[in-house]
Amino acid sequence: MKSLTKFMDSFGAILLAIIWISPLLFAFWAATHSTSDAVNLNLFSPWTLENFRVAWAGAPWLKYFINTFMLVTVILIGQFVLTTLAGFAFAQLQFPGKDYVFILVLMQLFILPEVLIVENYAMISRLGLFDTILGVGMPYMASAFGIFLMRQAFKGVPIELHEAARIEGCGLLGILWRVYVPLAKPTYLAYALVSVSTHWNNFLWPLIVTNSPETRPLTVGLSIFGAPENGVDISIISAATLMSVAPLLIAFLIFQRQFVQAFLRAGIK
Amino acid sequence: MSAHANLERRRQAIYGWLLLSPAAILLTLFAFYPSVATLWSSLFSRGTRRNPTEFVGTENYAELFADPTFWIVVKNNLLYAGVTIPVSIFIALSMALWANGKIRARGFVRTAYFTPTVLPMIAAANLWLFFYTPGLGVLDQIGSLFGLPSVNWLGQPETALWAIIIVTIWKEAGFFMIFYLAALQTIPEDLKEAADIEGASRWTYTRRIVLPLLMPTTLFIAVNAMINSVKLIDHLFILTKGGPSDASKLILYYIYEMAFAFFDAPSAAAMTMMVIAVLGIVAAVQFLYLDKRTHYQ
């Protein structure tokens, strides 16, 4: 009886797992076979890389990859600098008005940037940053979530280390750089993984503020490439899709534990 | 001494504001000012070359309430939230219970559940297109094995929104699973032993011990799922574009259309304000729950 329930558990879990990755498996199947073999699910048909070649030639993918890479890098650097400074101020300094400002920052957690697309678009245009990578990244740099995360990390640093560094003659920024930042490394790593995978995948905002292949990230490029008006067939779309998710997917499969830990750390504050 | 303390206080205040200022400036530019500007522009009429914008009070809101499409979109989004939230929570919980148990191929199972989380919504939509396409799609192929007629899942009003809902659940359930998984690992082993000694069935143990202990996690996930039901709309751009005849249009997509396709900024602003109000209520609920959770600890 007990072994039966155990078997049923394994069976159900594995069945659900197969259902869950089947969209990816089918895409892989379609991308590596000719269109007619793919849609007929002809199991013994020959494998081919032709779809990848056609897809790669169909759009400036290299440019898109570089744009996405630049975008996540710019955002990450901006976030690290801004949230480190602000998180440190909130965690370790006493100054009038601090609590009110902190509540304002927390409020931003609930006003999703996605909701403010119209006014943010106007702001980016006003700043002359329309269709630039900086313009795509800027609204995300002062992340309230990141400030909160850094504040929590810095609060956990023992005050003795702070005092010791001060007695050694370290200035405030020196203390931040030499004591707090190194001790918060795990938080930085977690934050980096969450930030990179969020912005690698972001679509709506880049769609609005980019207007040329020079700045367009992968997601926007993929959506244009796959648009029905372009009449691209399913095997080639699958190849393009797999191509554009490959870097993040491979990184995830290798560093799975770190990814899951990062999302957990970021979620449970 | 007091002069020294005073100096130190002033130094901290200067440093505090200096360190804060870059983040404060960007938050003002891209969160606080836009929120106020949205409220402001929702109160003014749409300017044309002949009629400059003028203050109209709540007229934009009244117009929106009189717009039948608005109500279709609201109803769609309520259904979208009402289905994706409970179903993805239920699936996430089942996944976590399985992935935490002693089953075969546990590593593979966990990876399979979590993988959709790292894919962009646009890519997810492309993958699912292969399932939904009439005639060629996987669903139709499976259906034809059983002699079922071909169904245009994305092209008919009865099924389009459901096709969208399924993609969303697929995308978010694995993400929610990891929070349950983490919470399950904090439940002490001796509770299970005690339940076994008392002769409690597995179902009783799950319902009476595990689920109550997971309650804070469930609330956390529910809030996230609620936010997602506003935010996750990228797949609409690939799969349905809100159609056919608005049957799968969601609020954020409608805001996007209003602003960037119909150039009706005041209506978009009025709708944005309503979304912000709803998110504010969610936030208030979460703060209340966070207050409660501290009593457990």
Side-chain angles (χ1 to χ4, degrees), chain A residues 24 52 55-56 61 64-65 68 200-201 217-223 225 236-250, chain B residues 118-124 126-127:
Chain A
L24 258 181
F52 287 96
W56 182 264
W61 293 105
Y64 294 161
F65 268 107
T68 291
W200 191 284
N201 295 343
L218 271 174
T219 46
V220 180
L222 182 62
S223 79
F225 183 76
I236 291 170
I237 291 185
S238 295
T241 306
L242 288 181
M243 239 160 46
S244 57
V245 301
L248 202 60
L249 195 60
I250 291 168
Chain B
V118 294
L119 302 178
M121 216 50 194
I122 289 295
N126 279 342
L127 301 181

Side-chain angles (χ1 to χ4, degrees), chain A residues 5-6 8-10 12-14 16-24 26-27 29-30 38-41 82 85-90 92-98 101 104-112 114-121 123-124 126-127 138-139 141-144 147 166 172-173 176 197 200-204 207-208 219 222-223 226 228-229 234 237-238 241-242 244-245 248-249 252-253 256 259-260 263-264 267-269, chain B residues 8-9 11-20 22-24 26-35 37-38 41 91 94-95 98-99 102-105 107-124 126-131 133 136 138 141 169-171 173-175 178-179 182-183 196 202 220 223 227 230-231 233-234 237-238 241 252 255-256 259-260 265 268-269 272 275-276 279-280 282-283 286-287 293:
Chain A
T5 45
K6 225 173 173 177
M8 288 307 289
D9 268 346
S10 294
I14 293 172
L16 186 64
I18 291 171
I19 294 174
W20 229 246
I21 52 164
S22 60
L24 258 181
F26 275 111
W29 163 264
V39 295
N40 294 324
L41 291 178
L82 292 177
L85 297 179
F88 181 67
F90 280 128
Q92 299 297 351
L93 297 177
Q94 300 304 325
F95 54 93
K98 181 170 106 164
V101 182
L104 273 178
V105 170
L106 282 184
M107 274 170 61
Q108 197 259 336
L109 275 178
F110 298 96
I111 310 171
L112 308 170
E114 284 82 1
V115 176
L116 295 174
I117 43 176
V118 184
E119 286 298 329
N120 277 347
Y121 167 80
M123 179 61 79
I124 285 292
R126 230 173 280 149
L127 294 174
M138 220 171 179
M141 284 179 186
S143 140
I147 293 173
R166 206 168 63 151
L172 203 55
L173 286 178
L176 171 59
S197 46
W200 191 284
N201 295 343
N202 198 11
F203 170 72
L204 184 60
L207 173 75
I208 292 168
T219 46
L222 182 62
S223 79
E229 302 90 89
I234 205 96
I237 291 185
S238 295
T241 306
L242 288 181
S244 57
V245 301
L248 202 60
L249 195 60
F252 162 68
L253 291 176
Q256 196 174 353
F259 265 91
V260 171
F263 279 105
L264 275 177
I268 301 171
K269 292 150 210 160
Chain B
E8 171 63 19
R9 208 180 305 143
R11 211 172 63 101
Q12 288 226 0
I14 293 170
Y15 263 111
W17 281 104
L18 272 182
L19 293 181
L20 218 53
L26 281 189
L27 277 177
T28 308
L29 285 181
F30 295 107
F32 304 132
Y33 171 78
S35 308
T38 305
S41 72
I91 293 179
S94 316
M95 285 173 164
W98 272 331
K102 293 182 184 65
I103 54 153
R104 282 158 190 282
F108 159 73
V109 166
R110 283 188 185 184
T111 308
Y113 292 163
F114 189 72
T115 301
T117 301
V118 294
L119 302 178
M121 216 50 194
I122 289 295
N126 279 342
L127 301 181
W128 279 87
L129 205 56
F130 195 43
F131 275 67
T133 313
L136 309 173
V138 175
Q141 305 251 359
I169 293 171
W170 177 76
K171 182 79 168 70
F175 180 59
I178 62 170
F179 297 101
D196 282 345
R202 197 167 74 145
F220 168 80
V223 169
I227 292 173
V230 174
K231 194 169 78 169
I233 56 138
D234 294 355
F237 284 85
I238 297 284
K241 297 209 183 320
L252 186 53
I255 292 178
Y256 164 83
F260 297 101
T272 305
V275 174
I276 290 178
L279 289 175
V282 174
Q286 195 188 15
F287 275 125
R293 188 170 70 160

